[in-house]
Amino acid sequence: MTASKSFLDPATAFDVLSSYSSNDGLSVTELFDSSTTGGLTYNDFLVLPGKIDFDAGSVITDSKITRNVTLKTPFVSSPMDTVTETNMAIHMALLGGIGVIHHNQSPEEQAAMVRAVKRHENGFITDPVVLSPNHHVQDVRDIKERLGFCGVPITDTGKLHGKLLGIVTARDIDFSSPTALLSEVMTTSLVTAPSGTTLHEANEILRNSKKGKVPIVDTEGRLVSLLARSDLLKAQNFPFSSKRPDSNQLYCAAAVGTRPSDRDRLALLVEAGLDIVVIDSSQGNSVYQVEMIKWIKSTFPSLEVIAGNVVTREQAATLIAAGADGLRVGMGSGSICITQEVMAVGRPQATAVFSVAEFANRFGVPVIADGGIGNVGHIVKALALGAGAVMMGGLLAGTTEAPGEYFWHEGKRVKTYRGMGSIEAMQHRSSAPATNGTATKNSPQPPSKVTTTENAATSRYFSESSQIKVAQGVSGDVPDKGSIIKFLPYLHTGLQHSFQDIGVRSVGELQSGVLSGKVRFEKRSAQAQMEGGVHGLNSYTKRLFA
Ligand code: IMP
C-alpha cells in the first residue's frame, strides 16, 4: 500500500498564493533587466493572461498620440510614398486612427492632399467640383474616372459662388454622347437648402428628398457648398472617426524635413488645415530638429509637433526639452529597413519603446512605436510598453487605400512597398504634372506622382547631397490586402480581445498595470517562439479575420 499524499485545502488557494514573494512571471523592469538580457524585440516576450470579468466589446482603445490629440484607435499610417496619401489619410481618420501624408512630393501637392483630407466628410463640401452648362458629358466622365464620383453641380460661371443652374449625376449621362453639352442633360428640378442650414437639417433634407446631392445656395441662388448622401452614410458607418472637436473636420497629419525650405512647405500645409506635423528624420537627435521644433512652436503655436525618430532616453530628452508634443520611436525595426545592417546603429524595438516611453510619459509626451508592427500582438505589446499608438508601413501597404497600382508578380496581385531610404525612393523623379487643383477636391484621388521639384525623402537620411547615396531601405512588393475598411476594424477587435485576455479594459489600465507590476510578462526562447507559432501541420491556410 502506498501512503496517501496529503494535499492543501483548495479553500486556502489564495492564502497560499499570497505567500509567494512575487506574482508569477516577470515585471516589466525584470523583463528589460539589461544584466540578464540584450535588447528585446516584440517576439522575444509574451504578456501573461490575467482575469476575464468583462466583455471584449467593452474594451476602450482611446489613446493619446500627442499632448492634445486623443484617437479612438491607436493606429497611425506611416509617411511613406507607398503608404499614405489622401485616400489612406482619409480612411485612417474615418476609422479612428490618423494618416501622416508623406513629403516625397512637391509642397503644393502635399498641401492639396492635406486640404482634401480636411475637406472630406466635414458635413458640407465647401469646395465641390463645379462645371458650367457649356462643358461636355465627357468632362463629367473624366471626373468620374479621376475622382470616383459624378454628381456635379452646374453654375453659370462653372465655379463655386456662380448661380446654380442644375446638377449632373450618373443617370443624366448614362446614354449621352460624350460631346453633348451639359445644358442638354443636366437636371434642373433641384432640391436645395439655404446657406445657414445646419448639418442636422441638411441631412434631414437629404433623407426625405432621396437625392444623392443637395446643393446649398445663398439668398441669390448662388452655390455655396454641397451635401452628399455618401458622406451621410459614411458618417453613420464610421462612429470612431478622428475629428477635431471644434470643426468636425477629420484630423490630418503630414511629414516635413528640417531644411530651411521645409519651413515654407509647412506654412502651406498649415494653410491647408494641418493639425499635426511629423518631423521626419531617421535620427532625430540633431540641432536641425531642435531648431525646427522651436521655430514651429513659435510660428504655429497650436500645431502639434511629433518629433523623432529616437530610441534612447538621451535622444528623447533633447526633443522633449525643445518642445515636442509627441515622439516617434524606432530605428532599424521597419520591415523594409537596412539601417542596422548598414549604419550599425539602432535598437531592438521593444527595448526602444519601453525605454523612451517610460521616460517621455513622465513629461506627458506620448510615444508612437514606429516600425516592425507585423500583427495584432505586436500592437498590444507596444501599447503595454507605454506607447500611445503604433505607426505602420508594411502592414498597411498593399491595401486598396495605399498609393500605387496593383500589378501581378509571380502569380500574386501586389503593390509596391519601399523604404523611404531606398535608392528608388531617394532618386524618385517623375515627369507627371503637378496636381491640377480639381483632382484634390472632395474625395479620395489616385496616388500622386512625385514631381521634379525637391526630393524630400533624401532629407530623412542625411544622404541627399552626397554623390554616393547610401541606402537604408529596400524596395519590394506586398500582397493585395483588401481595404483598410475591413483591416483596421480587425486590428481594433483583435486589440479588444487581447486586452480581455490580459484582464484590462483600456490602454490606460494596461499601462498602469504594467508599471505597477500587476500585468506580467514572460520571455520566449527560440524554441518557445516556435511552439507559439503554427507547427506540425502538413499544410494549412492562415485566414486572419472573416
Ligand atoms: P514597417 O511598418 O515595419 O514596414 O516600418 C515602417 C517604418 O520604417 C516607417 O514608419 C519608418 O520609420 C521606417 N522606414 C521607412 N523607410 C525606411 C527606410 O528606407 N529605411 C529604414 N527605415 C525606414
Side-chain angles (χ1 to χ4, degrees), residues 78-80 280 282 309 328 330 332-339 370-374 391-395 417-422 460-461 471-474:
S78 179
M80 300 171 74
D280 195 21
S282 57
N309 280 26
R328 200 172 153 200
S333 56
S335 59
I336 31 51
C337 179
I338 52 172
T339 299
D370 172 24
I373 298 292
M391 180 177 276
M392 297 168 284
L395 210 56
Y417 178 47
R418 65 184 185 196
M420 297 308 289
S422 66
R460 181 177 157 86
Y461 296 95
Q472 290 193 42
V474 300

